[in-house]
Amino acid sequence: MNPKRRIVILGATGSIGTNALRVIRAHSDRLELVGIASRSRVENLAAIAHEFKVRDIAVFDPGTETPGSLASRFPAGSRIHTGMDGLIELATLSNADMVLIAVVGTTALMPCIHAIRCGKSIALASKEILVMAGEFILPLIRKHENLLLPTDSEHNAIFQCIRGEPARNVQKILLTASGGPYLHTPLESLASITPEEAIRHPKWNMGPKISLDSATMANKGLEVIEARWLFDLRPDQIEVVIHPQSIVHSMVQWVDGSILAQMSPPNMSFAIQNCLLYPDRVTGIDRPLDFSAGINLEFLPPDPHRFPCLNLAIEALKAGGTSPAVYNAANEVAVSAFFDYKIAFDRIPAVIAHTLASADRVAPQSIEDIIQSDTDARRISQQFIHT
Ligand code: MG
């Protein structure tokens, strides 16, 4: 038996993927990278394949690359997969123990389902997957008895706090949010924010979509919905608290009123290492908090007028059925339209609100129903943006 945990990363060239590679590099006595996938960035993927001697590679969108030109960039003997089938191939590799899913948006939904069915442990960073299909994924996880490790910093914090406690002890969870770059910007200035400005996050270094979602707090909305599934909570058991320092990553309040928090610097390596090496704890790769220098922590409630995307997410969660999938799809379309200079920053919530109001609300019977409402919601959002 291989004593090392064998890891596949879907989204190896992104911000989570890059941090996961740092963790694997530092703990090569315990972890082995056996597969990597990314959307395009072939150059970066090839560098990773050479460094970690990875044989199984998937390029979701190879663009103009031919199989021959792709093969020439990777080590001889590499198995190179493409498209959705390629991602699924990687998610189900027979020599992998754990799949880290860190792909932007919902692309990794089907690969995630296949990985679960193959009994892989799942480290889940792509929050859109549970937002869209939590109702079907969680029963699947229970059936196949997979280890499901939340990799997003907030959910990882809750996971660390809640471990071993019976559900009846939990009063609620407090999801912290940095508030993003526009916490104190005058509301009338929000219309003129450019894409270049909006992706500069004050605390976290992340990809453009999640950075923008943090600025609108749609990201926190997605996290509220994801938390509902991960920890089997009612919507009224999830509270959002703004915490600009991003040091308390989230908290659990027990029924007796006591609150437990998880703290570490605003750096993803802590949560990623917790997942990849779970349940072991060994020396971390980044410096922990230093209280000798003094640390100020601040907490405040989110302003619903400043962050309408957050309340729209909570409404979608309460409405249930396909509403969270509709919310997620509308947000993805609105984010793309903003990056393409088609809508102003402060119109993103309007796209989501219109789509939620216009889309059919159904109780989905299958993943296919969810995918259908995702497609319908995208069409409604597009039409709204064009008119
Ligand atoms: Mg987060």
Side-chain angles (χ1 to χ4, degrees):
M1 209 192 128
N2 193 331
K4 294 186 187 183
R5 183 173 276 166
R6 298 162 300 176
I7 311 283
V8 166
I9 307 179
L10 306 186
T13 60
S15 150
I16 298 279
T18 305
N19 273 296
L21 294 174
R22 292 177 60 228
V23 172
I24 295 171
R25 201 178 278 125
H27 299 295
S28 57
D29 55 328
R30 292 165 168 266
L31 300 170
E32 181 185 353
L33 187 64
V34 295
I36 48 174
S38 79
R39 177 168 290 278
S40 46
R41 301 195 192 156
V42 175
E43 213 65 53
N44 300 8
L45 216 47
I48 300 165
H50 282 282
E51 181 192 343
F52 290 87
K53 305 195 178 6
V54 177
R55 283 310 179 79
D56 282 280
I57 293 132
V59 182
F60 179 66
D61 177 9
T64 54
E65 299 260 3
T66 62
S69 73
L70 266 184
S72 69
R73 296 169 185 257
F74 291 94
S78 296
R79 290 174 289 270
I80 301 165
H81 315 270
T82 55
M84 184 53 78
D85 288 346
L87 290 187
I88 292 172
E89 194 75 41
L90 266 275
T92 57
L93 275 188
S94 60
N95 63 336
D97 303 306
M98 179 181 280
V99 183
L100 168 61
I101 302 178
V103 173
V104 178
T106 47
T107 310
L109 174 63
M110 292 318 290
C112 177
I113 290 172
H114 283 270
I116 295 169
R117 287 190 181 135
C118 283
K120 306 300 182 195
S121 294
I122 309 285
L124 188 60
S126 305
K127 60 197 77 176
E128 292 89 344
I129 291 176
L130 288 188
V131 169
M132 198 175 168
E135 193 175 346
F136 296 97
I137 302 239
L138 268 294
L140 209 55
I141 293 270
R142 281 191 286 273
K143 182 178 164 197
H144 295 275
E145 300 179 348
N146 312 69
L147 189 55
L148 174 61
L149 302 163
T151 311
D152 204 358
S153 59
E154 295 79 0
H155 304 89
N156 186 263
I158 304 288
F159 179 75
Q160 291 193 47
C161 291
I162 226 165
R163 194 177 157 197
E165 287 275 349
R168 64 172 186 279
N169 289 1
V170 178
Q171 178 77 39
K172 63 178 173 184
I173 64 167
L174 298 133
L175 281 183
T176 53
S178 70
Y182 306 119
L183 186 54
H184 303 295
T185 305
L187 290 179
E188 58 276 14
S189 309
L190 294 180
S192 56
I193 290 165
T194 66
E196 292 74 20
E197 288 164 3
I199 60 173
R200 264 184 249 128
H201 196 276
K203 283 283 174 230
W204 293 95
N205 184 9
M206 307 177 290
K209 201 252 175 187
I210 186 169
S211 296
L212 181 60
D213 282 350
S214 296
T216 63
M217 273 183 88
N219 179 59
K220 209 51 52 178
L222 296 172
E223 289 180 1
V224 167
I225 301 170
E226 189 189 15
R228 178 261 171 272
W229 293 112
L230 280 172
F231 306 111
D232 196 16
L233 301 165
R234 298 185 311 271
D236 64 290
Q237 286 180 294
I238 308 168
E239 185 176 334
V240 173
V241 184
I242 298 211
H243 167 47
Q245 291 79 18
S246 297
I247 284 175
V248 171
H249 294 294
S250 277
M251 303 176 265
V252 178
Q253 182 174 326
W254 311 106
V255 287
D256 60 8
S258 186
I259 292 173
L260 205 61
Q262 185 270 334
M263 290 191 265
S264 49
N267 176 328
M268 282 308 295
S269 75
F270 295 89
I272 293 169
Q273 174 163 325
N274 182 264
C275 292
L276 298 188
L277 291 175
Y278 182 86
D280 294 346
R281 289 192 187 267
V282 298
T283 308
I285 62 169
D286 288 306
R287 217 184 285 215
L289 291 171
D290 178 9
F291 285 84
S292 70
I295 297 176
N296 285 313
L297 301 179
E298 207 186 334
F299 299 94
L300 57 155
D303 172 0
H305 300 293
R306 179 174 297 276
F307 300 114
C309 289
L310 176 59
N311 279 2
L312 287 167
I314 295 168
E315 281 171 32
L317 174 60
K318 287 179 178 161
T322 50
S323 295
V326 170
Y327 174 91
N328 175 64
N331 181 54
E332 280 193 26
V333 172
V335 166
S336 299
F338 172 71
F339 283 141
D340 293 341
Y341 301 92
K342 287 181 186 150
I343 59 168
F345 179 84
D346 64 346
R347 294 295 289 161
I348 294 170
V351 175
I352 301 173
H354 170 84
T355 311
L356 277 173
S358 313
D360 288 333
R361 278 184 190 179
V362 295
Q365 304 302 313
S366 64
I367 295 273
E368 287 67 33
D369 288 353
I370 303 253
I371 292 170
Q372 187 59 50
S373 31
D374 174 271
T375 308
D376 294 345
R378 282 170 202 269
R379 198 190 52 243
I380 294 168
S381 304
Q382 298 282 12
Q383 276 168 355
F384 180 70
I385 289 164
H386 287 304
T387 51

